[in-house]
Amino acid sequence: MPELEHFDLVVIGAGPAGEKAAAQAAYFKKRVAIIECEPEPGGAAVHTGTLPSKTLRETALYLSGYHARELYGVAVELDRSATLPRLMSRKNAIAAAEARSFRQNFAKHDVRYFCGHGRFVDEHTVSITSAAGETRITGDFVLISTGSKPHRPADIDFADDWIHDSDEILTIRDMPTSLTILGGGVIGCEYACMFAALGVGVTLVDARSEILPFIDGEIVARLKAALVKMGIRMVQGQRWTKVVRTEKGVTTTLQDGSTLENEQLLFAAGRTGCASDLGLDKVGLAPDSRGYIPVDKNYCTKATHIYAAGDVIGFPALASVSMEQGRVAMCHAFGFGYKKAVAAEMPYGIYTIPEVSSFGETEETCKEKKIDYVVGRALYENNARGKITGDLEGITKLVVDAKTRKVVGVHVIGERASELVHIGQTAITLGATVDVFIDMVFNYPTLADSYKYAAYDCLAGLSAKA
Ligand SMILES: Cc1cc2nc3c(=O)[nH]c(=O)nc-3n(C[C@H](O)[C@H](O)[C@H](O)COP(=O)(O)OP(=O)(O)OC[C@H]3O[C@@H](n4cnc5c(N)ncnc54)[C@H](O)[C@@H]3O)c2cc1C
């Protein structure tokens, strides 16, 4: 038997976690192989999740003339048959360009790229199977970064053309006339806005009493008001009990016995780890009940040379965090030392219409932790750039510790929220007081300038407490 090709690191799965881990190890001159079972690298971030959904959002806003309606009172008549192909073609172009960037990154770092399904044969040997046959390689270390897939309840018929999960919604052939979305998490809320912007009648159903419970309550209230203004019907605190395809569409029965009739349905509640077909039994590992692989704080599994990072380990299941987990795992495995942990706090970016982004303490967490706090708000309607862009619903909100004057939370709803939040995140990470925004000069006119006025608003609260 010929000797197997040996690597310092074998990575299974070329999504964001795998890509950054592979590049990290290779940058420090480790011999790295990466295995991907789909035709192109990029994972959910590039092909079915992050970038496609964000591209669809931008395209939906553009094609629907959503912003123009507010600014110029222009009503855009959508050609439904032309809209869907145009929506999808831009998404496909972005995915292709991004997959190319992944391949270029592997080439730049001399990472060996294998196409096929990776599976453990024994502790250090991984088999790669594809239409071309089987290859085996060995690695000192192995990283599992195989991601996650949408959860599919057994009693919902996903084979039906009008019933979709969050992967499959990207391949629909007909723009829905109306859509029930089950799940008011980030994915459900984002898709609800996109379809509503395109003129689809959307009903968003969530079992919890409130959507997005990790976001500041005031921001959620403002978002909900915006969703309702877009025409989205919100059904909250209701579980669904049955989903049935009828002649006209899809009927959803709710726990109170009421029914919802819409043409199509998107199930967007929950995901599960891709760990079932990896031969984990060959290396003494097993996924938990939701398909996630247990790891320690260094992303190391029970087998000390096998790491796991990204969606396959569960929460928070974000591309942003998955990349960092991959890097930290490799620093630990090879002792690179410069990056020891993923930052304790992460920002949330929610690409609804309007966008929401958040970092640090909310009013609710301050109350729970008994932090004496003040808040300051700046409304986009009072901000010159906000007026120009016509985003009059936006707000930048700061949460400040009343004792130390330190900024402890920032919450933004409105245009560019997911970019703006990083200004507050930097201040919080550096332990800055609210005075930093009082003293800074901001470009004018900018939405960033709203930080200064939110800070002035905090000063009013602080002096009231003094
Ligand atoms: C609709 C939607 C919107 C999202 N929006 C955002 C967002 O705005 N911001 C954000 O940060 N995150 C977002 N996410 C989450 C983000 O997409 C994931 O957190 C991220 O893709 C996880 O990266 P990963 O590398 O762990 O896994 P993945 O990206 O899933 O990549 C795993 C890769 O492993 C491959 N693979 C699996 N099994 C094998 C095997 N046995 N052999 C070889 N290859 C294998 C898969 O084909 C895949 O390419 C979104 C997700 C969805 C679904």
Side-chain angles (χ1 to χ4, degrees):
M1 181 118 166
E3 210 169 288
L4 302 181
E5 194 170 0
H6 185 76
F7 295 87
D8 297 314
L9 170 69
V10 173
V11 178
I12 310 178
E19 184 220 7
K20 298 304 180 208
Q24 177 77 94
Y27 178 82
F28 286 105
K29 306 288 173 231
K30 299 297 171 190
R31 247 193 118 217
V32 181
I34 192 159
I35 308 166
E36 173 55 51
C37 62
E38 290 294 330
E40 288 298 327
V46 171
H47 300 286
T48 54
T50 318
L51 300 186
S53 61
K54 267 82 256 186
T55 310
L56 285 181
R57 178 186 186 274
E58 286 305 313
T59 317
L61 286 174
Y62 180 75
L63 289 180
S64 64
Y66 188 80
H67 287 316
R69 279 180 215 162
E70 299 274 326
L71 280 176
Y72 308 109
V74 181
V76 176
E77 199 58 50
L78 278 176
D79 174 351
R80 300 181 69 81
S81 58
T83 306
L84 197 61
R86 283 161 78 186
L87 272 180
M88 297 307 173
S89 70
R90 178 145 169 76
K91 164 195 84 76
N92 295 342
I94 300 288
E98 200 57 19
R100 230 172 9 253
S101 299
F102 272 60
R103 283 186 181 272
Q104 282 162 357
N105 200 21
F106 297 140
K108 181 171 143 200
H109 289 93
D110 273 334
V111 172
R112 269 291 292 284
Y113 187 82
F114 290 90
C115 275
H117 185 104
R119 200 179 279 109
F120 285 99
V121 174
D122 62 37
E123 295 208 327
H124 289 278
T125 312
V126 178
S127 87
I128 305 158
T129 46
S130 68
E134 190 201 1
T135 315
R136 290 185 178 194
I137 57 176
T138 55
D140 289 338
F141 290 98
V142 181
L143 175 78
I144 304 169
S145 48
T146 47
S148 64
K149 57 185 179 212
H151 168 59
R152 285 186 160 199
D155 53 354
I156 298 184
D157 179 12
F158 288 95
D160 190 286
D161 277 355
W162 279 354
I163 299 179
H164 317 283
D165 66 22
S166 60
D167 281 1
E168 207 212 311
I169 192 77
L170 297 165
T171 60
I172 52 173
R173 273 173 291 159
D174 307 308
M175 180 68 80
T177 52
S178 59
L179 182 69
T180 300
I181 299 183
L182 299 184
V186 175
I187 295 174
C189 288
E190 289 184 355
Y191 275 118
C193 293
M194 272 178 250
F195 282 106
L198 290 165
V200 176
V202 174
T203 308
L204 182 62
V205 182
D206 196 41
R208 289 166 302 192
S209 57
E210 194 50 281
I211 56 167
L212 309 174
F214 49 93
I215 297 293
D216 184 88
E218 177 187 349
I219 301 291
V220 170
R222 286 176 183 268
L223 174 64
K224 267 170 60 179
L227 300 190
V228 170
K229 193 171 150 204
M230 283 178 90
I232 297 172
R233 181 178 163 208
M234 308 281 295
V235 178
Q236 296 184 268
Q238 283 273 5
R239 290 189 180 283
W240 53 91
T241 55
K242 202 153 75 176
V243 170
V244 177
R245 171 68 197 266
T246 63
E247 212 173 293
K248 287 200 202 127
V250 183
T251 302
T252 307
T253 307
L254 302 176
Q255 77 191 94
D256 66 0
S258 61
T259 54
L260 299 170
E261 315 274 346
N262 277 316
E263 187 202 62
Q264 300 191 32
L265 178 133
L266 166 62
F267 185 84
R271 295 181 67 87
T272 174
C274 296
S276 60
D277 194 13
L278 284 171
L280 289 182
D281 53 320
K282 300 282 194 317
V283 290
L285 297 177
D288 67 15
S289 58
R290 299 194 55 200
Y292 297 129
I293 299 179
V295 290
D296 66 15
K297 66 180 182 11
N298 301 310
Y299 305 99
C300 190
T301 67
K302 262 188 349 190
T304 53
H305 70 292
I306 301 177
Y307 287 71
D311 278 20
V312 75
I313 64 169
F315 180 83
L318 289 170
S320 51
V321 178
S322 300
M323 297 185 228
E324 280 295 274
Q325 290 173 342
R327 294 184 182 108
V328 168
M330 290 309 98
C331 287
H332 186 263
F334 294 108
F336 298 147
Y338 86 98
K339 201 182 246 297
K340 297 221 181 305
V342 174
E345 293 273 358
M346 64 189 166
Y348 289 103
I350 304 173
Y351 298 80
T352 38
I353 304 169
E355 207 166 290
V356 167
S357 200
S358 176
F359 182 82
E361 305 293 349
T362 63
E363 287 203 58
E364 291 74 26
T365 61
C366 281
K367 284 176 193 146
E368 269 163 41
K369 295 179 185 173
K370 306 216 180 322
I371 299 171
D372 185 15
Y373 71 94
V374 299
V375 300
R377 299 173 186 83
L379 306 180
Y380 282 21
E381 68 180 28
N382 298 326
N383 171 287
R385 191 67 181 261
K387 286 183 191 127
I388 294 167
T389 57
D391 184 357
L392 305 180
E393 288 163 344
I395 166 178
T396 300
K397 175 175 177 180
L398 293 175
V399 182
V400 168
D401 186 316
K403 286 205 185 73
T404 62
R405 300 172 73 90
K406 283 188 176 172
V407 186
V408 292
V410 55
H411 311 282
V412 187
I413 179 168
E415 188 96 345
R416 304 275 167 240
S418 60
E419 305 278 357
L420 280 177
V421 81
H422 293 122
I423 299 173
Q425 177 186 4
T426 306
I428 295 169
T429 306
L430 295 175
T433 66
V434 66
D435 306 293
V436 77
F437 297 127
I438 302 290
D439 296 340
M440 275 170 69
V441 175
F442 288 88
N443 279 330
Y444 179 85
T446 57
L447 294 173
D449 190 37
S450 64
Y451 271 93
K452 186 178 280 290
Y453 294 92
Y456 276 125
D457 200 31
C458 287
L459 291 193
L462 287 170
S463 46
K465 282 197 180 241

